[in-house]
Amino acid sequence: MKIMKLLAFLLFSVLLAGCSASKPPLMDNPDAGSTGYLLDAGDTVSINVYGEPDMTMKFIIDKSGTITFPYIGELVLKGKTPEQVSAELTKRLSGDYLQNPMVTVNIAEFRKFFVSGEVRNPNAFTYEPGLTVEKAIAQAGGYSDRADRKDLNIRQSGTNKLLENVDVRHSVHPGDIVIIGMGFF
């Protein structure tokens, strides 16, 4: 009889342990953002050529990822950092057009990110550096009454990869979709 009680206790313990085991929330990889911000469709860039007001302008990057710049023609911005674009512009403007040009490329406005699911105001919002899932939810008016506060996912822009069960401190990038799941109780 003692063996039966012991076996029942062990079986119950194993079942109970299996119920409580859940994956911890996904945290950021600190090395993931080391390559710098890559420009993409929807970003607005400001290009300044020192001493050349006719060559200082703003562009909204379309889905082709290219712009037409005076004297040099087509320039690909998509997939490059602002620093890479600045270096390419400096190189292409040097010599024939300008002597020793000083070019700066800045992001005037980031592309939007999106919040969907169980929030009060699902929508597209303007990205700001340092954005986290928690801040994105706050911009969307907070959780709805039916939200599952542990069912937080991010569909990453560009790769379309779904990160499941992310922590509220996980970073959000321009173009990402933050998805808040629905709870049943």
Side-chain angles (χ1 to χ4, degrees):
M1 192 64 156
K2 287 186 178 183
I3 294 177
M4 290 296 269
K5 286 183 180 179
L6 181 61
L7 286 175
F9 176 75
L10 286 174
L11 180 64
F12 181 72
S13 299
V14 168
L15 288 174
L16 195 59
C19 291
S20 66
S22 63
K23 283 177 34 177
L26 182 64
M27 297 295 287
D28 269 333
N29 177 0
D31 297 329
S34 61
T35 59
Y37 181 79
L38 299 178
L39 298 170
D40 205 349
D43 287 326
T44 302
V45 294
S46 174
I47 299 175
N48 299 308
V49 180
Y50 180 74
E52 299 293 330
D54 293 342
M55 299 178 88
T56 296
M57 49 194 69
K58 275 187 180 181
F59 295 95
I60 298 175
I61 304 172
D62 65 12
K63 63 182 175 182
S64 74
T66 61
I67 62 168
T68 302
F69 198 79
Y71 301 117
I72 63 171
E74 193 170 278
L75 178 67
V76 177
L77 302 181
K78 185 175 183 175
K80 296 179 181 176
T81 65
E83 294 78 17
Q84 290 171 327
V85 173
S86 178
E88 184 177 346
L89 271 170
T90 300
K91 180 181 175 187
R92 289 176 67 181
L93 287 170
S94 293
D96 294 341
Y97 305 110
L98 299 172
Q99 295 299 322
N100 216 11
M102 293 181 8
V103 180
T104 58
V105 177
N106 296 305
I107 301 167
E109 187 176 321
F110 293 95
R111 60 190 177 272
K112 298 193 181 294
F113 73 95
F114 307 87
V115 182
S116 69
E118 294 300 320
V119 289
R120 294 182 196 266
N121 182 26
N123 211 335
F125 300 94
T126 302
Y127 174 80
E128 295 177 12
L131 185 68
T132 62
V133 170
E134 187 172 37
K135 292 175 183 177
I137 292 168
Q139 283 190 343
Y143 293 108
S144 71
D145 293 338
R146 297 183 310 185
D148 180 349
R149 294 169 188 243
K150 294 184 191 248
D151 187 6
L152 308 174
N153 307 300
I154 297 175
R155 178 149 325 269
Q156 292 181 313
S157 176
T159 63
N160 214 21
K161 180 180 175 186
L162 182 66
L163 302 178
E164 297 182 275
N165 191 31
V166 297
D167 187 80
V168 292
R169 295 167 292 180
H170 195 284
S171 61
V172 176
H173 303 284
D176 285 354
I177 303 170
V178 178
I179 306 162
I180 315 305
M182 179 172 62
F184 293 105
F185 299 103

